[in-house]
């Protein structure tokens, strides 16, 4: 008998809810050494606790991963599950081939990155407040709600004030300025993506996050 993940509302309204206590399906698969499909099956069977966001993205409970590892693979280190060892990244890109390219590079880098992939700015706006990523990588030219509108909305959310933003776009700087520009913390990178630069940038954000945790 399958079990549907808990709803977004059930998780987000819990008094002890924290976005740092959850991870994405791909990251959970990496930690457990299983395929994404197997992790999804474990969620459906109720063996791993999870809930679904408004946009339908699964969030996996880290304490549930710890329990699963302790039961089936106690020899594996669970240090990577600590928030300071994990960079939460949200990539918003409407082009499927571009998303696949991002995914391939992130996998090759083998960094402690918990990445969620979304195909529209509207999907991102539904879930970003609950996910609270450390880093947002976004395109600007997208159908419907575009990246500029998305960033304008995000700018008004105080809970996302510390989020790093990298905009990777082919849109001319003049056109962006004419639309009101980007948030002050956003870094604009012109397409095509320089993945060597992006890898170095992601590493630096990870290091800064670890240092912040140490100072606390």
């Amino acid at each position: 008998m399958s079990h549907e993940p808990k709803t977004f509302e059930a998780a987000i309204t819990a008094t002890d809810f924290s976005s740092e206590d959850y991870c994405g399906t791909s990251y959970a698969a990496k930690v457990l050494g299983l395929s994404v499909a197997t992790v999804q099956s474990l969620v459906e069977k109720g063996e791993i606790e999870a809930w679904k966001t408004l946009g339908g993205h699964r969030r996996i409970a880290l304490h549930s991963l710890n329990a699963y590892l302790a039961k089936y693979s106690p020899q594996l280190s669970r240090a990577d599950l600590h928030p300071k060892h994990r960079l939460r990244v949200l990539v918003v890109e409407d082009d499927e081939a571009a998303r696949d390219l991002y995914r391939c590079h992130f996998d090759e880098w083998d960094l402690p990155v918990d990445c969620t992939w979304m195909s529209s700015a509207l999907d991102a706006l539904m879930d970003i407040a609950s996910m609270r990523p450390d880093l947002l990588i976004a395109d600007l030219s997208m159908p419907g709600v575009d990246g500029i509108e998305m960033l304008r909305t995000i700018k008004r959310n105080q809970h996302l004030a510390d989020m790093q933003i990298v905009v990777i776009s082919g849109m001319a700087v003049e056109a962006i300025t004419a639309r009101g520009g980007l948030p002050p913390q956003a870094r604009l990178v012109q397409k095509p993506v320089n993945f060597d630069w992006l890898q170095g940038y992601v590493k630096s954000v990870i290091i800064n996050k670890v240092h912040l945790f140490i100072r606390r």
Side-chain angles (χ1 to χ4, degrees), residues 63-83:
H63 72 82
S64 186
L65 292 187
N66 271 325
Y68 189 90
L69 283 171
K71 184 176 181 179
Y72 296 105
S73 302
Q75 74 279 8
L76 294 181
S77 169
R78 297 189 291 277
D80 283 350
L81 294 181
H82 193 285

Side-chain angles (χ1 to χ4, degrees), residues 157-207:
N157 191 324
Q158 294 301 312
H159 294 299
L160 302 172
D162 295 331
M163 180 179 67
Q164 301 295 307
I165 301 173
V166 173
V167 173
I168 300 180
S169 174
M171 188 180 294
V173 174
E174 294 78 12
I176 296 172
T177 302
R179 291 282 309 279
L182 302 176
Q185 74 271 33
R187 181 186 293 264
L188 177 63
V189 179
Q190 290 292 324
K191 288 185 175 180
V193 183
N194 182 332
F195 283 101
D196 288 336
W197 175 87
L198 186 59
Q199 180 184 19
Y201 182 82
V202 170
K203 284 182 179 178
S204 70
V205 178
I206 292 171
I207 292 170

Side-chain angles (χ1 to χ4, degrees), residues 142-156:
M142 291 182 280
V145 178
D146 68 6
I148 292 179
E149 293 176 84
M150 175 184 69
L151 293 174
R152 191 176 295 132
T153 302
I154 288 171
K155 184 180 177 181
R156 296 195 292 266

Side-chain angles (χ1 to χ4, degrees), residues 30-192:
K30 183 177 179 181
V31 169
L32 296 177
L34 303 172
S35 68
V36 171
T38 300
V39 171
Q40 291 172 342
S41 177
L42 292 173
V43 169
E44 290 168 359
K45 292 176 181 177
E47 295 185 39
I48 293 178
E49 183 181 354
W51 50 269
K52 282 187 177 180
T53 67
L54 290 173
H57 297 272
R58 281 186 174 88
R59 298 285 92 189
I60 310 291
L62 293 183
H63 72 82
S64 186
L65 292 187
N66 271 325
Y68 189 90
L69 283 171
K71 184 176 181 179
Y72 296 105
S73 302
Q75 74 279 8
L76 294 181
S77 169
R78 297 189 291 277
D80 283 350
L81 294 181
H82 193 285
K84 79 175 183 180
H85 296 289
R86 177 173 59 104
L87 187 74
R88 292 166 297 169
V89 179
L90 174 60
V91 176
V92 185
E93 169 61 67
D94 65 306
D95 184 81
E96 185 176 358
R99 289 198 306 275
D100 288 341
L101 190 58
Y102 277 115
R103 188 178 286 108
C104 287
H105 279 279
F106 273 92
D107 288 344
E108 287 176 1
W109 297 339
D110 195 29
L111 296 171
V113 173
D114 178 6
C115 201
T116 300
W117 318 89
M118 294 187 181
S119 60
S120 76
L122 186 58
D123 283 346
L125 288 175
M126 280 196 293
D127 289 341
I128 195 169
S130 62
M131 290 181 174
R132 295 190 190 179
D134 301 299
L135 171 62
L136 169 66
I137 300 174
D139 191 8
L140 291 182
S141 300
M142 291 182 280
V145 178
D146 68 6
I148 292 179
E149 293 176 84
M150 175 184 69
L151 293 174
R152 191 176 295 132
T153 302
I154 288 171
K155 184 180 177 181
R156 296 195 292 266
N157 191 324
Q158 294 301 312
H159 294 299
L160 302 172
D162 295 331
M163 180 179 67
Q164 301 295 307
I165 301 173
V166 173
V167 173
I168 300 180
S169 174
M171 188 180 294
V173 174
E174 294 78 12
I176 296 172
T177 302
R179 291 282 309 279
L182 302 176
Q185 74 271 33
R187 181 186 293 264
L188 177 63
V189 179
Q190 290 292 324
K191 288 185 175 180

